[in-house]
Amino acid sequence: MTDPVLRLTDLVVRYPQAEGPTLDGLNLELRAGETLALVGPSGCGKSTVARAALQLLPAGSVCAGGLLLGGSDPRLLSRPALRRLRGEAVGLVFQDPMTRLNPLLTVGAHLTDTLQAHRPRWRRPQLRARALDLLARVGITAERFGSYPHEFSGGMRQRLAIALAMALRPPLVIADEPTTSLDVAVAGQVMAELSDLCREVGSALLLISHDLAMAGRWCDQIAVLDQGRLIEQAPARQLLLTPRSPLAQRLVARAREREASGGPPPQQQEPLLEIDALRCWHPLPSPPWRPRFLKAVDGVSLQVHRGETVGIVGASGCGKSTLCRALMGLTPVRGGAVRLNGVDLQQLRGASLRQARRGLQMVFQDPLACLNPQMRVGDAVADPLRIHGLASRAEARQRARALLDAVGLTPPEAFEQRLPRQLSGGQQQRVAIARALILEPQLLLCDESVSMLDAEVQADVLALLRRLQERLGLGMLFVTHDLAVAGGFCHRVLVLEGGQVVEEGPGRELLRHPQAAITRALVEACPRLPE
């Protein structure tokens, strides 16, 4: 039997100023060709495993116990040797590829620079040929060699990240939430390409994920972490069908809840939101006598009633996020009508428009990105009231505390003085929801608002949104790439393709009997738990 490419023995990792260890005696082995998914609740230590293996821990961290990567202990290596080990022994695929890509380098330069750093004897034609081969392997044509990362879609950027990770044929690939921000079709393609390349090279794959269905689809083994310890490890199908530990049982149960029916829709009344033939066309470079447009949203019509959740799904580029930005007034509208409580927002200007738009608020995908990192939680929630001049500082603070309590951050006094980075992902999303609710909106736009959360926290946030909806009579437009969430949480689901609605129906029914070709493709690509 070959030696493990990664071996952790009683590994302990403690971050500076942390009350306890993040990894607390972790034992884990991964051999060449094996595929292992690491799952667990937020804060269990999944990402810390990758940081410890590569010694990318913050200064002042404690890392004790056994750690072997490619047969070497990275803690004992010189800085040049550690750089070589990081580049050649491990390929990394991150959740957001833009955090790794240099916006000033072309796609080709990313690959040739990486290759040249580790293959200094290779000449330029050889570097270019290898880079082009890697791009072709992940489905990127040679014509895009000179493109820049911002000119790529999210799926194409993630393909480039895979090419970079596999450039040096590493014995171990670590993929940390590599498909969180991608729709199911693109996510399936990305994972298929990554798995094929790992199989071809013989690399081991360590997949860090909060999605149990995806873990079961792409990995042979699943390991469950809790509070820095390995709680359970078993073949993927066995663990998903007959989990032994209470935590694994809870995670699987929560994942199955996402696929349950969303419940009966509310009684139909006058629509809260009406969108009629909305068009958002973006001009493309073209001669003035032959204008061309990207029809991101092209004649979308829909209604949302009080207490109703309408899901919007579709492949990348179908117009989901453009629709949300148009409703929020963040992108120009070329035609159509948007009526909130019967009032056409397109006809309003100035103070009247600002007042009407208070009834429409948005919860974003990444709460950390939409919260001011220097503003304390209580001030962030109260800030909209101050901006609109609706309350004094003391009144705004009091209402912010009440909302923090309403979204489950109790006692609010324990949270209001914290900065966003001092909260978990689920807590950050609760702050974002509280901030969206402080202006007492009638409609919430949720744009991928739970896609970055693990199964347990995701279920908690969805349950919170449902309770708030029932108590406040909120309408919700719920944009998601996760068909399981759409089917289980939304009363109705609309499928977008090419900026148009191609199918509509009850969430559960639409998943069982998809009619449109794109819906069938999305349903087939959606990973499901075994039954």
Side-chain angles (χ1 to χ4, degrees):
M1 183 178 290
T2 59
D3 292 333
V5 295
L6 178 66
R7 174 179 284 166
L8 310 179
T9 309
D10 295 326
L11 188 68
V12 176
V13 173
R14 185 192 301 269
Y15 289 117
Q17 285 86 49
E19 295 180 0
T22 301
L23 296 182
D24 188 14
L26 179 64
N27 292 283
L28 194 69
E29 283 191 0
L30 194 58
R31 299 179 184 276
E34 292 182 343
T35 55
L36 173 68
L38 210 54
V39 304
S42 294
C44 70
K46 301 189 295 290
S47 294
T48 299
V49 172
R51 296 191 189 105
L54 295 169
Q55 286 301 286
L56 295 174
L57 300 168
S61 299
V62 173
C63 183
L67 169 57
L68 288 177
L69 176 62
S72 301
D73 187 337
R75 296 168 295 186
L76 305 179
L77 299 178
S78 65
R79 191 170 295 274
L82 180 58
R83 280 199 297 270
R84 283 196 301 275
L85 182 73
R86 287 170 177 166
E88 298 178 11
V90 183
L92 281 175
V93 183
F94 294 97
Q95 177 176 349
D96 181 3
M98 282 302 280
T99 60
R100 182 184 182 185
L101 302 177
N102 186 333
L104 301 179
L105 289 182
T106 65
V107 166
H110 275 89
L111 287 162
T112 54
D113 282 9
T114 299
L115 291 166
Q116 191 169 41
H118 293 271
R119 303 288 186 267
R121 295 184 179 180
W122 285 17
R123 297 185 179 277
R124 185 172 298 275
Q126 190 175 6
L127 293 171
R128 182 181 174 88
R130 172 64 175 155
L132 287 171
D133 177 62
L134 285 165
L135 291 177
R137 292 301 314 275
V138 296
I140 299 175
T141 62
E143 289 78 12
R144 306 305 301 271
F145 190 85
S147 299
Y148 287 88
H150 73 271
E151 297 176 300
F152 274 16
S153 67
M156 290 181 70
R157 286 197 291 260
Q158 200 59 292
R159 287 185 170 95
L160 173 59
I162 291 172
L164 285 166
M166 301 301 299
L168 301 171
R169 299 177 176 269
L172 172 65
V173 174
I174 299 177
D176 191 355
E177 301 282 9
T179 62
T180 295
S181 59
L182 305 177
D183 70 69
V184 289
V186 175
Q189 295 166 7
V190 165
M191 284 304 303
E193 288 159 358
L194 177 59
S195 298
D196 288 347
L197 284 169
C198 286
R199 192 159 42 246
E200 176 186 313
V201 176
S203 302
L205 174 63
L206 179 63
L207 175 65
I208 297 171
S209 178
H210 66 259
D211 190 330
L212 288 179
M214 189 183 78
R217 181 170 183 173
W218 297 108
C219 292
D220 299 326
Q221 294 268 326
I222 295 179
V224 182
L225 260 63
D226 188 31
Q227 298 180 2
R229 289 180 174 271
L230 183 64
I231 300 300
E232 183 174 354
Q233 181 173 345
R237 183 175 177 81
Q238 176 184 322
L239 188 141
L240 295 177
L241 288 174
T242 56
R244 291 182 289 105
S245 64
L247 174 61
Q249 293 168 1
R250 194 166 71 245
L251 290 174
V252 171
R254 285 299 182 94
R256 294 196 184 280
E257 284 175 15
R258 298 192 318 158
E259 301 175 6
S261 173
Q267 294 291 325
Q268 297 298 303
Q269 305 167 346
E270 288 297 315
L272 173 63
L273 175 72
E274 294 177 273
I275 301 174
D276 185 18
L278 188 68
R279 288 180 291 142
C280 298
W281 294 5
H282 306 317
L284 296 173
S286 60
W289 59 87
R290 189 181 298 170
R292 294 189 306 132
F293 297 92
L294 172 63
K295 298 180 180 181
V297 174
D298 189 26
V300 169
S301 298
L302 64 88
Q303 293 183 347
V304 182
H305 296 79
R306 294 184 187 278
E308 182 184 31
T309 302
V310 175
I312 305 289
V313 303
S316 294
C318 70
K320 303 188 298 291
S321 294
T322 299
L323 176 62
C324 284
R325 289 196 296 268
L327 295 178
M328 293 298 296
L330 300 177
T331 196
V333 171
R334 186 176 179 84
V338 177
R339 289 185 288 273
L340 186 63
N341 281 322
V343 177
D344 191 347
L345 300 183
Q346 305 300 113
Q347 304 302 317
L348 300 180
R349 298 291 183 272
S352 299
L353 179 59
R354 286 195 297 273
Q355 183 175 359
R357 283 201 182 280
R358 292 210 305 260
L360 191 66
Q361 295 296 314
M362 192 161 177
V363 182
F364 295 90
Q365 175 179 358
D366 186 354
L368 192 59
C370 72
L371 295 172
N372 187 329
Q374 302 301 320
M375 184 177 286
R376 299 191 183 278
V377 163
D379 294 331
V381 175
D383 200 43
L385 289 176
R386 302 284 293 155
I387 290 173
H388 288 272
L390 298 176
S392 66
R393 185 177 298 276
E395 291 169 340
R397 183 181 299 114
Q398 195 60 35
R399 289 176 63 180
R401 285 177 178 171
L403 269 173
L404 289 174
D405 185 67
V407 299
L409 296 177
T410 55
E413 292 79 9
F415 291 92
E416 64 179 357
Q417 294 302 314
R418 297 189 191 181
L419 294 172
R421 287 197 175 275
Q422 295 173 311
L423 303 176
S424 69
Q427 290 170 340
Q428 290 165 2
Q429 197 60 283
R430 289 170 187 265
V431 172
I433 293 170
R435 190 178 65 171
L437 292 176
I438 200 154
L439 292 177
E440 299 180 353
Q442 298 160 300
L443 183 79
L444 276 185
L445 302 180
C446 300
D447 188 5
E448 301 283 8
S449 53
V450 296
S451 64
M452 297 180 69
L453 307 177
D454 68 63
E456 276 204 296
V457 178
Q458 186 180 94
D460 289 342
V461 171
L462 290 175
L464 168 65
L465 286 171
R466 180 68 79 211
R467 289 195 301 271
L468 292 169
Q469 181 179 52
E470 293 170 353
R471 195 175 82 199
L472 304 175
L474 289 169
M476 279 194 277
L477 197 62
F478 197 88
V479 175
T480 180
H481 65 257
D482 191 327
L483 294 186
V485 169
F489 182 68
C490 301
H491 299 111
R492 287 187 295 125
V493 175
L494 279 70
V495 182
L496 262 61
E497 183 180 26
Q500 298 179 333
V501 178
V502 296
E503 189 168 355
E504 176 181 356
R508 188 71 169 171
E509 185 65 22
L510 189 141
L511 294 184
R512 285 176 172 171
H513 306 290
Q515 301 299 314
I518 183 62
T519 314
R520 292 196 298 270
L522 292 172
V523 170
E524 290 170 4
C526 183
R528 300 290 186 88
L529 294 176
E531 296 181 358

